[in-house]
Amino acid sequence: MGATTTGICCMALFFTMGILMVVLGCALPEYDNWYPLFVLITYILTPIPACAITRGDNYGEGSAKEDACTFMTAALTVSGYGIPFVLFNNGIILAGAAWLTIAGNTVIFSSILAYFMLYEVEDGYGNL
């Protein structure tokens, strides 16, 4: 299934809404703490292992490389959710900022998943 303009626009809208939630969790006057932006690192690094595994010659054969890339993708996703919890538990951010960041994480990681599902190609490039 190919990507449509509507699908791309919806993904961009949801990704932007997720970033807005994360920024609001940092910039609202009652929170005023920019540490939740550390989750941006996970947004950048999460798709890299998934892209690397789909470019291999033996994709889908259960290789160790495939398992390692799947583990790294899962670890980065869990880290994206864990950062706000750790910051809240240590008293660095407030509960509202943590929940806004987690809500933004959910929207952004869903957009990343939608991207991989939308660009699924039959020849093995671009799918999970």
Side-chain angles (χ1 to χ4, degrees):
M1 178 176 147
T4 62
T5 305
T6 306
I8 293 172
C9 289
C10 286
M11 281 190 309
L13 176 70
F14 283 118
F15 192 83
T16 304
M17 286 181 3
I19 292 290
L20 177 67
M21 287 182 201
V22 173
V23 170
L24 282 176
C26 299
L28 287 176
E30 57 265 12
Y31 305 137
D32 196 31
N33 193 338
W34 293 94
Y35 285 115
L37 283 182
F38 283 128
V39 297
L40 292 177
I41 297 168
T42 62
Y43 302 155
I44 295 167
L45 296 179
T46 298
I48 293 173
C51 289
I53 191 60
T54 57
R55 302 295 180 210
D57 293 334
N58 57 355
Y59 175 70
E61 296 178 5
S63 66
K65 178 183 170 188
E66 183 177 346
D67 292 340
C69 288
T70 303
F71 175 77
M72 287 188 289
T73 301
L76 287 167
T77 303
V78 170
S79 296
Y81 283 103
I83 289 171
F85 285 123
V86 170
L87 292 174
F88 171 68
N89 191 35
N90 288 328
I92 297 172
I93 63 174
L94 298 175
W99 287 112
L100 272 171
T101 305
I102 290 166
N105 279 345
T106 302
V107 172
I108 289 172
F109 285 132
S110 298
S111 296
I112 293 171
L113 178 65
Y115 170 79
F116 280 107
M117 293 178 75
L118 189 64
Y119 284 100
E120 186 175 7
V121 180
E122 297 297 324
D123 64 355
Y125 290 102
N127 56 357
L128 286 175

